[in-house]
């Protein structure tokens, strides 16, 4: 113990989370795992517990094992006990038969369960939590998690929630990891930082409320757009890379991200959409923007369509030099993107025109709701959101490319049937979320998932390479905060 440590706790007087993406809010923690192991009170590693060994639970377990943590205990449903025991038999991770055992034994307990089941699981195992332990959850929507923890956990345990803003197949290195110091002193926050230092993620400190607003802004509409694309292509009974209309540049990104989303579990997206009130509002507005822009297209109302799109462009991608710090574009050239095509690569300059209704509606939705997506880009952007804002920027920052899209929307009927299917799909997903129907969400998702399933392996591999390429081409940026975000709750002072 006799070594002085540098504190990694957020400093006093922290700004609201959206006011800046400064190093005092986002910090890369690189090599403190060995120190954490050395400094635990009794000279031994803290016991780490994971309740829920789905895709994300396993990802956390394997990363922690690779980082040198050896006292790890986990559990899942009773019927999965033998399978998990066999899977991890050659590691130092111990599979236990019950969440009661994990809770009673461990100094840090992570609930990695679906948001819809959080209350039920915490109600069952929470009361068994070890005195003085830290309890965390990594659900994508925090309001139900906060309620479950406050309702069912003993008062003598600490609460520090978290959320890795990426899927189980994406490397956590450099990706945002949100930490929520809800009911714990700074010393416990430092321990959590140390446990997850081996992920090499960027820590972002928020409240539960800030988390749900930011994740809604960065994920809800993004997911809705790609779910709608997939449903539209499924309804048209067409693999987009085989039709000849979806080749090159932006189209390649759309296809790869849509398939990447459908290759995941449906509940990953359902929880965020249905349980987060901000997400529900935004998904509804996206469907509204899609419908209203489509009506202008088929009416041939060019003045109003251009007015609306250019107003959205000025809000989301302002041209004023004072609006943003100098920053390189997120995406690269068509030549670079074409290498990630799932179908034949297009000849140079041969990509057919497209209305890009999904992108026009996205930027219009951000404009109507007053969302400034670049404020979230370095703060809490998922890889998918980074790519999606990248393709939007790619379209809107090039006036010739944007003019081509608007001209195609008004005058080219080749994509009109696909745009019709997209509008129907967007409204369908919005209604499903608005009704709060988990079963409808699951059925819509899985039907389209089955349609694209034969290409998931290839799409996941290609999409992963595309993420790496786009991430490598991005440079950090900071957009000035607007007054619309200044009402977020201030961050609490240090609790030690």
């Amino acid at each position: 113990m006799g070594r002085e440590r540098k504190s990694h706790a957020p400093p006093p007087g922290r700004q609201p989370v959206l006011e800046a993406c400064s190093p005092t809010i986002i910090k890369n923690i690189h090599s403190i795992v060995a120190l954490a192991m050395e400094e635990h009170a009794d000279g031994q590693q803290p016991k780490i517990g994971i309740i829920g060994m789905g895709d994300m639970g396993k990802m956390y377990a394997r990363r922690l094992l690779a980082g040198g943590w050896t006292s790890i205990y986990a559990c899942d449903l009773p019927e999965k006990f033998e399978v998990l025991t066999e899977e991890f038999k050659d590691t130092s991770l111990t599979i236990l038969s019950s969440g009661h055992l994990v809770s009673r034994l461990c100094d840090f307990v992570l609930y990695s369960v679906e948001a819809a089941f959080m209350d039920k699981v915490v109600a069952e195992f929470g009361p068994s939590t070890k005195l003085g332990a830290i309890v965390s959850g990594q659900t994508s929507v925090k309001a139900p998690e906060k309620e479950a923890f406050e309702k069912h956990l003993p008062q003598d345990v600490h609460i520090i929630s978290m959320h890795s803003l990426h899927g189980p197949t994406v490397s956590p290195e450099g990706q945002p990891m949100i930490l929520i110091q809800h009911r714990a002193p700074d010393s416990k926050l430092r321990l959590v930082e140390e446990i997850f230092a081996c992920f090499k993620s960027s820590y972002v400190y928020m409240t539960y409320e800030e988390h749900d607003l930011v994740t809604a802004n960065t994920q809800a509409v993004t997911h809705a757009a790609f779910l709608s694309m997939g449903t539209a292509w499924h309804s048209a009974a067409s693999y987009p890379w085989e039709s000849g209309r979806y080749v090159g540049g932006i189209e390649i990104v759309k296809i790869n991200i849509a398939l990447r989303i459908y290759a995941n579990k449906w509940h990953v997206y359902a929880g965020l959409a249905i349980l987060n009130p901000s997400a529900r509002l935004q998904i509804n507005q996206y469907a509204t923007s899609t419908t209203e822009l489509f009506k202008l297209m088929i009416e041939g109302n060019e003045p109003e369509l251009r007015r609306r799109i250019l107003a959205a462009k000025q809000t989301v991608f302002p041209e004023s030099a004072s609006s943003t710090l100098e920053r390189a574009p997120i995406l690269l050239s068509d030549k670079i993107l074409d290498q990630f095509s799932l179908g034949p690569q297009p000849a140079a300059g041969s990509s057919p025109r497209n209305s890009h209704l999904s992108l026009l509606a996205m930027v219009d939705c951000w404009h109507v709701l007053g969302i400034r997506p670049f404020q979230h880009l370095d703060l809490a952007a998922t890889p998918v959101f980074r790519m999606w804002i990248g393709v939007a920027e790619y379209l809107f920052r090039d006036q010739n490319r944007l003019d081509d899209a608007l001209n195609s929307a008004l005058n080219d009927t080749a994509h009109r049937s696909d745009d019709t299917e997209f509008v129907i799909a967007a409204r369908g997903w919005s209604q499903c979320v608005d009704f709060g129907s988990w079963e409808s969400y699951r059925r819509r998702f899985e039907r389209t998932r089955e349609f694209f399933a034969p290409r998931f392996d290839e799409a996941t591999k290609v999409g992963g390479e595309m993420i790496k390429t786009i991430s490598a081409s991005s440079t950090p940026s900071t957009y000035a905060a607007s007054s619309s975000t200044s009402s977020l709750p201030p961050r609490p002072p240090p609790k030690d």
Side-chain angles (χ1 to χ4, degrees):
M1 294 272 294
R3 190 193 310 186
E4 183 178 353
R5 297 184 46 224
K6 180 179 179 181
S7 171
H8 292 284
R14 293 172 291 189
Q15 300 177 8
V17 70
L18 295 185
E19 288 190 4
C21 302
S22 69
T24 63
I25 293 181
I26 303 178
K27 301 175 294 184
N28 288 303
I29 310 298
H30 294 293
S31 58
I32 56 178
V33 173
L35 184 59
M37 295 175 181
E38 176 184 325
E39 294 186 349
H40 194 58
D42 57 4
Q44 297 184 7
Q45 292 188 19
K47 294 180 174 63
I48 299 171
I50 302 174
I51 296 178
M53 288 292 281
D55 292 341
M56 286 300 289
K58 289 180 181 179
M59 185 278 287
Y60 275 91
R62 295 191 186 282
R63 284 280 172 175
L64 291 169
L65 287 169
W69 298 100
T70 57
S71 298
I72 305 176
Y73 303 85
C75 70
D76 204 285
L77 297 172
E79 56 266 30
K80 297 183 180 181
F81 175 76
E82 292 184 2
V83 173
L84 289 171
T85 299
E86 178 66 21
E87 182 175 349
F88 288 92
K89 67 179 182 180
D90 295 326
T91 73
S92 59
L93 184 147
T94 302
I95 300 296
L96 300 177
S97 60
S98 168
H100 291 292
L101 300 178
V102 174
S103 297
R104 202 66 184 156
L105 177 66
C106 294
D107 304 292
F108 173 81
V109 180
L110 174 65
Y111 283 83
S112 182
V113 300
E114 298 175 32
F117 301 128
M118 196 68 169
D119 185 78
K120 178 181 178 181
V121 176
V122 178
E124 182 174 359
F125 303 130
S128 298
T129 306
K130 181 179 180 180
L131 175 68
I134 304 168
V135 177
S136 186
Q138 65 91 27
T139 59
S140 59
V141 55
K142 293 302 184 185
E145 181 179 307
K146 176 185 178 183
E147 182 179 358
F149 284 167
E150 291 183 339
K151 185 192 306 183
H152 304 300
L153 290 178
Q155 288 298 312
D156 53 18
V157 303
H158 308 287
I159 301 174
I160 301 178
S161 284
M162 59 184 297
H163 183 198
S164 291
L165 295 181
H166 58 84
T169 62
V170 175
S171 170
E173 295 188 19
Q175 301 294 344
M177 177 184 286
I178 294 175
L179 297 179
I180 301 172
Q181 185 183 2
H182 180 62
R183 195 176 79 194
D186 286 353
S187 59
K188 299 300 182 181
L189 176 63
R190 288 193 290 271
L191 177 58
V192 174
E193 290 174 331
E194 290 160 352
I195 288 173
F196 290 102
C198 56
F199 282 51
K200 299 181 181 178
S201 296
S202 294
Y203 292 154
V204 185
Y205 303 94
M206 296 184 181
T207 65
Y208 281 119
E209 293 74 20
E210 288 172 342
H211 171 278
D212 280 358
L213 178 59
V214 169
T215 53
N217 289 352
T218 57
Q219 298 183 46
V221 183
T222 306
H223 296 161
F226 288 106
L227 290 171
S228 299
M229 286 182 214
T231 299
W233 290 326
H234 176 206
S235 298
S238 171
Y239 290 123
W241 56 87
E242 294 178 353
S243 69
R245 295 199 299 271
Y246 295 90
V247 292
I250 291 175
E251 307 302 341
I252 290 173
V253 178
K254 288 181 183 177
I255 293 168
N256 277 297
I257 299 179
L259 265 64
R260 191 175 185 86
I261 285 176
Y262 276 103
N264 287 323
K265 303 291 179 60
W266 68 274
H267 64 78
V268 173
Y269 309 103
L272 171 63
I274 293 175
L275 297 176
N276 188 327
S278 296
R280 186 174 300 189
L281 172 68
Q282 292 176 25
I283 292 169
N284 178 267
Q285 178 56 50
Y286 183 68
T288 299
S289 292
T290 298
T291 302
E292 292 177 352
L293 293 180
F294 183 68
K295 288 179 179 178
L296 295 175
M297 289 165 49
I298 60 177
E299 291 169 359
N301 192 342
E302 180 174 359
E304 178 59 19
L305 180 63
R306 287 188 177 274
R307 184 205 65 78
R308 186 160 174 169
I309 293 304
L310 292 179
K313 175 185 177 182
Q314 182 56 33
T315 297
V316 179
F317 303 105
E319 297 178 357
S320 171
S322 62
S323 301
T324 177
L325 301 180
E326 198 66 29
R327 180 183 58 80
I330 295 172
L331 285 183
L332 303 177
S333 65
D334 281 355
K335 181 178 179 181
I336 297 297
L337 293 174
D338 287 348
Q339 67 182 295
F340 302 112
S341 175
L342 294 178
Q345 294 190 12
S350 67
S351 299
R353 293 201 305 175
N354 189 333
S355 67
H356 294 303
L357 176 58
S358 60
L359 283 168
L360 299 181
M362 174 66 68
V363 177
D364 182 77
C365 174
W366 284 332
H367 167 60
V368 171
L369 294 175
I371 295 173
R372 306 295 185 267
F374 279 103
Q375 291 175 343
H376 309 299
L377 185 60
D378 300 307
L379 181 68
T382 64
V384 168
F385 177 70
R386 185 175 295 276
M387 286 194 288
W388 191 224
I389 195 175
V391 294
E393 180 183 43
Y394 189 63
L395 174 64
F396 275 77
R397 290 236 185 251
D398 187 315
Q399 190 59 49
N400 291 331
R401 191 175 286 121
L402 183 60
D403 285 339
D404 283 345
L406 293 175
N407 289 332
S408 178
L410 292 161
N411 305 311
D412 191 347
T413 60
H415 272 270
R416 192 62 52 83
S417 61
D418 286 354
D419 285 341
T420 302
E421 293 285 5
F422 181 78
V423 172
I424 295 171
R427 291 173 69 92
W429 278 109
S430 176
Q431 291 171 350
C432 177
V433 171
D434 196 45
F435 294 153
S437 174
W438 295 88
E439 180 61 17
S440 295
Y441 197 105
R442 182 190 65 79
R443 291 175 64 184
R444 288 178 65 87
F445 187 97
E446 291 187 345
R447 284 179 180 176
T448 299
R449 189 181 195 280
E450 291 174 3
F451 179 73
F452 288 113
R455 301 300 291 267
F456 283 162
D457 289 344
E458 181 182 2
T460 299
K461 180 179 179 181
V462 172
E465 292 300 319
M466 187 170 66
I467 288 174
K468 290 180 182 178
T469 299
I470 292 173
S471 297
S473 74
S474 304
T475 57
S477 64
T478 301
Y479 265 61
S482 68
S483 59
S484 64
T485 62
S486 61
S487 60
L488 283 174
R491 307 172 57 70
K495 302 178 182 180
D496 270 350

